[in-house]
Amino acid sequence: MSQLSAPGAENTRRLLAMALGSVGVVYGDIGTSPLYAFREALRPVSHDGVTDVEIVGLISLMIWALTIIVTIKYVLFLLRADNQGEGGTLSLLALLMKTANGHTAILFFMGIAGAALFIGDAMITPALSVLSAVEGLKLVTPALSDYVVPIAVVILLFLFAVQSKGTAAVSKFFGPITLVWFLVMGAVGFMHIADDLSIFRAFNPYYAVAFLFNEGYVGIVVLGAVFLTVTGAEALYADLGHFGRRPIQWAWFTVVFPALTLNYLGQGAFVLKNPEAMSDPFFLMFPKWALLPAVILATAATIIASQAVITGAFSLTRQAIHLGFLPRMAIFHTSETHTGQIYLPNVNTLLMFGVMALVFIFGSSESLATAYGISVTGAMVVTTVLAFEFLRMRWNWPAWWAAGVLLPLFALELVFLGANMLKIHDGGYVPILIAATFIVIMWTWKRGTAILHTKTRHIDIPLERFIKSIERQSEHAPVSVPGTAIFLTSDPESTPAALLHNIKHNHVLHQQNFILTIRTANTPKVPREERVSARRLSERFTLMEVRFGFMETQNVSQALGLIRKSGLKFDIMSTSFYLGRRKLVPDAQSGMPHWQDRLFIALANAAIDPSDYFRLPTNRVVELGSHVII
């Protein structure tokens, strides 16, 4: 009997361990929202005093926002809309692009909009979360008020400085620390529910609806703050591949959702009994002796939340690069066993400067909260639209049925988005500017690469015609030299420019020549048996294709080991890799405005060297350049 139960016990232990890990990584962001969400929701209605019904209505709005948007949409539905186990906007986009029928352009713009909004979220979240936690020091001693921003800056600088070390060691502590944070949050909320048991009326959605009807325009403004309770919900979906559906669901229903509900109920009851606590209900719920430990624990939780969103930005950028939305960047792996743990120095630097700018410009979590929400609600609206396509194309639901299920949710999110748009003049323009910048960058790169491909295709020589002509030559044939040459190209039907330049300038042709194309599949990972394929074109020429998933490292040297095992023999130490280096020159007739030409060329020049990106042996790489007018 014990032998039979052993596998079940092991599976249970693994599930609990994964659920604990997801508490730290997945729920860090949403777990820090009680620091500021209720406080910010109270501000618009507190100028003429707050009634008991208004407080109950606010808590009701928060609880039902968590129930409808996080629980129903993300935890129960979207976690099932996966791309071979991977989640997130770009992962869902890659899945839908396989079966897109005439909607490719719309899907593309929706996908890059969602990705750009997530990057904006990745800049605002660390600044807002850390500031809101450190501001608790003002309650410990008012003398520290002037040091809130400097302390927050030091913490954030340290956070970005350690990114290159990787999160493998630190992540072991994420789950337990965040678990303690949720338990403390739930406990302090539970202790204060008894302050006014009428707060339980918040479970009745009538009070949420009545609040909106009675408050009118102010009620719509309050919705923008209420939405702060569900910030971080996108992380549920984006981190699906790291933990799996069941651990994330278990963590939500057993720890996160109960702790958040208890804390919001406790804050509401506490303010009902002590109206003067509206200035900072979260920290004021703690007794004075526990205030400093609570601030320290909150700071640790916000650092973890920031780490999670930064890691998410790294993963999203890697997906965008592999899917052709961004130029190649340096990607470093910080773990030998976990491929998802990566570090992108360019992205890290960009996020660091963006976060620092937000901290100095806004100076407080109260001011920065007005800038928050638009990026989150916008990303959620995008995900709902993509989910509609998923239901139609992947689950084969009729359009009317899919629309009927998602329309109420879509309408609710549009209301939240509209409420947040009212804060544009107070700082809401920040995430819009950030998202718009990244949309322009991704659109420019995608459009520019398509134009570049079209232009070079016109002047390229078809590969098969070139091979026939080179084999017919006798008098002016290039000198045959021993060894193997691999020519990288993005178009396997055309002769690589590096091959033409090698024959033109060096007058040599290797005994064995591989024309190599590297493809990124619309799947997270490609099985080893499907990694490499080859087709012999002639005695000396072979067409080779290497395929990677958009979540994989494109290590060509490692992949070539697979093809040698399949029978194609060549010595890697006597193999030369030839790359074509293009110098781009702007052209007024390119099809893009001049500024976009310049932006595309700047992005191309900033891209990492292909030999580094594809993990080629640097001492075996030869680059041959050419000018291309674009």
Side-chain angles (χ1 to χ4, degrees):
M1 185 72 178
S2 60
Q3 291 180 343
L4 291 174
S5 61
E10 179 62 29
N11 290 336
T12 301
R13 281 195 296 270
R14 188 181 298 113
L15 176 62
L16 292 176
M18 294 290 282
L20 178 61
S22 72
V23 168
V25 176
V26 175
Y27 293 110
D29 194 1
I30 201 170
T32 57
S33 56
L35 285 168
Y36 47 80
F38 184 50
R39 180 192 71 195
E40 296 304 320
L42 283 169
R43 292 191 192 281
V45 295
S46 62
H47 60 281
D48 57 351
V50 182
T51 66
D52 291 2
V53 175
E54 286 175 327
I55 291 173
V56 172
L58 279 175
I59 298 298
S60 183
L61 280 169
M62 291 178 166
I63 291 174
W64 282 101
L66 287 169
T67 302
I68 296 172
I69 293 177
V70 183
T71 305
I72 296 176
K73 177 186 174 181
Y74 283 92
V75 177
L76 295 179
F77 166 55
L78 272 180
L79 289 184
R80 298 177 183 274
D82 64 295
N83 186 350
Q84 294 187 7
E86 293 291 339
T89 303
L90 289 184
S91 181
L92 183 58
L93 174 65
L95 180 67
L96 296 175
M97 293 289 272
K98 296 178 186 177
T99 51
N101 298 320
H103 305 302
T104 306
I106 297 174
L107 287 175
F108 168 73
F109 275 103
M110 294 298 291
I112 66 171
L117 288 164
F118 185 87
I119 295 294
D121 184 19
M123 286 187 181
I124 299 175
T125 293
L128 175 61
S129 298
V130 173
L131 272 174
S132 61
V134 177
E135 283 169 352
L137 291 172
K138 293 189 293 187
L139 300 176
V140 177
T141 169
L144 292 174
S145 298
D146 295 335
Y147 297 97
V148 168
V149 170
I151 292 172
V153 167
V154 170
I155 291 172
L156 289 167
L157 283 174
F158 173 77
L159 177 65
F160 285 105
V162 299
Q163 292 303 312
S164 60
K165 307 298 181 185
T167 59
V170 184
S171 62
K172 294 178 182 178
F173 301 99
F174 283 7
I177 290 175
T178 314
L179 178 61
V180 171
W181 167 249
F182 277 113
L183 293 177
V184 169
M185 255 199 324
V188 72
F190 178 76
M191 287 167 52
H192 283 281
I193 288 176
D195 289 350
D196 194 324
L197 294 177
S198 67
I199 195 64
F200 281 116
R201 291 178 294 170
F203 283 114
N204 187 343
Y206 164 80
Y207 289 95
V209 177
F211 176 89
L212 294 178
F213 274 103
N214 294 334
E215 296 296 330
Y217 175 78
V218 174
I220 300 298
V221 174
V222 166
L223 278 180
V226 168
F227 205 81
L228 294 172
T229 58
V230 298
T231 56
E234 281 289 316
L236 283 172
Y237 193 32
D239 289 322
L240 174 59
H242 292 285
F243 297 97
R245 177 165 52 89
R246 288 189 66 204
I248 293 175
Q249 290 177 330
W250 270 62
W252 174 254
F253 285 113
T254 60
V255 176
V256 181
F257 193 26
L260 290 173
T261 303
L262 286 172
N263 190 267
Y264 284 125
L265 288 171
Q267 287 193 53
F270 183 60
V271 172
L272 283 173
K273 183 180 180 182
N274 308 282
E276 69 279 1
M278 286 191 297
S279 59
D280 203 336
F282 180 85
F283 282 118
L284 290 173
M285 282 197 299
F286 289 90
K288 284 192 174 182
W289 63 266
L291 192 54
L292 183 58
V295 172
I296 294 172
L297 181 60
T299 303
T302 56
I303 291 172
I304 292 170
S306 302
Q307 174 63 62
V309 79
I310 292 168
T311 304
F314 290 162
S315 298
L316 181 138
T317 303
R318 178 173 69 170
Q319 292 182 31
I321 292 168
H322 290 173
L323 292 172
F325 298 162
L326 288 172
R328 291 185 292 266
M329 300 180 197
I331 301 175
F332 298 100
H333 286 261
T334 58
S335 171
E336 295 180 358
T337 55
H338 299 284
T339 58
Q341 293 185 10
I342 56 175
Y343 168 65
L344 282 76
N346 291 348
V347 176
N348 192 60
T349 302
L350 180 67
L351 289 177
M352 182 183 70
F353 280 111
V355 170
M356 291 299 125
L358 290 172
V359 170
F360 284 116
I361 291 171
F362 288 92
S364 69
S365 62
E366 177 186 347
S367 301
L368 193 54
T370 60
Y372 210 29
I374 291 179
S375 57
V376 181
T377 49
M380 287 184 175
V381 169
V382 167
T383 305
T384 302
V385 174
L386 294 179
F388 172 76
E389 281 296 301
F390 177 85
L391 289 176
R392 288 199 318 115
M393 306 306 299
R394 308 303 297 186
W395 285 4
N396 298 317
W397 284 25
W400 62 269
W401 194 359
V405 170
L406 292 178
L407 194 58
L409 185 63
F410 182 67
L412 177 63
E413 289 175 343
L414 282 181
V415 171
F416 275 118
L417 179 60
N420 279 285
M421 294 293 281
L422 295 174
K423 300 187 292 185
I424 285 181
H425 63 286
D426 293 324
Y429 60 87
V430 171
I432 293 177
L433 287 177
I434 295 172
T437 300
F438 283 98
I439 288 173
V440 169
I441 288 173
M442 287 189 277
W443 172 49
T444 298
W445 183 254
K446 189 74 172 177
R447 188 180 179 192
T449 49
I451 292 173
L452 181 61
H453 177 74
T454 302
K455 287 206 168 191
T456 54
R457 192 81 184 262
H458 287 312
I459 60 175
D460 284 344
I461 301 171
L463 182 59
E464 293 192 4
R465 195 176 81 189
F466 167 78
I467 294 173
K468 289 177 182 177
S469 68
I470 206 75
E471 289 179 342
R472 282 199 304 264
Q473 291 180 12
S474 55
E475 183 179 347
H476 301 290
V479 176
S480 181
V481 295
T484 302
I486 297 179
F487 297 89
L488 273 71
T489 179
S490 59
D491 183 6
E493 296 181 6
S494 301
T495 309
L499 174 56
L500 294 173
H501 287 304
N502 189 42
I503 292 175
K504 179 181 178 181
H505 297 291
N506 298 327
H507 309 289
V508 296
L509 188 65
H510 288 72
Q511 286 179 340
Q512 192 170 208
N513 299 274
F514 288 92
I515 311 300
L516 173 61
T517 305
I518 300 166
R519 302 286 190 197
T520 300
N522 283 337
T523 54
K525 294 178 176 61
V526 171
R528 283 173 61 89
E529 60 273 13
E530 299 176 15
R531 175 80 66 211
V532 183
S533 62
R535 177 167 62 92
R536 188 170 287 280
L537 302 176
S538 71
E539 186 179 343
R540 289 196 291 184
F541 286 91
T542 301
L543 194 63
M544 188 193 314
E545 184 174 277
V546 177
R547 290 176 291 277
F548 297 98
F550 59 78
M551 292 292 288
E552 295 180 300
T553 301
Q554 301 196 343
N555 192 326
V556 173
S557 297
Q558 193 177 71
L560 290 178
L562 299 175
I563 199 166
R564 284 191 294 164
K565 294 176 183 177
S566 67
L568 280 173
K569 303 295 182 183
F570 60 90
D571 181 11
I572 194 71
M573 296 310 297
S574 63
T575 299
S576 298
F577 293 84
Y578 286 83
L579 305 176
R581 171 73 70 173
R582 291 167 174 160
K583 181 171 179 58
L584 305 179
V585 180
D587 177 16
Q589 307 299 321
S590 70
M592 290 196 298
H594 185 67
W595 66 267
Q596 206 167 19
D597 276 341
R598 291 289 184 183
L599 175 58
F600 176 73
I601 292 172
L603 292 171
N605 291 337
I608 187 177
D609 190 280
S611 60
D612 294 330
Y613 186 78
F614 294 123
R615 307 295 198 274
L616 302 177
T618 52
N619 61 335
R620 312 295 311 168
V621 174
V622 179
E623 293 190 4
L624 298 170
S626 62
H627 279 65
V628 178
I629 298 175
I630 181 170

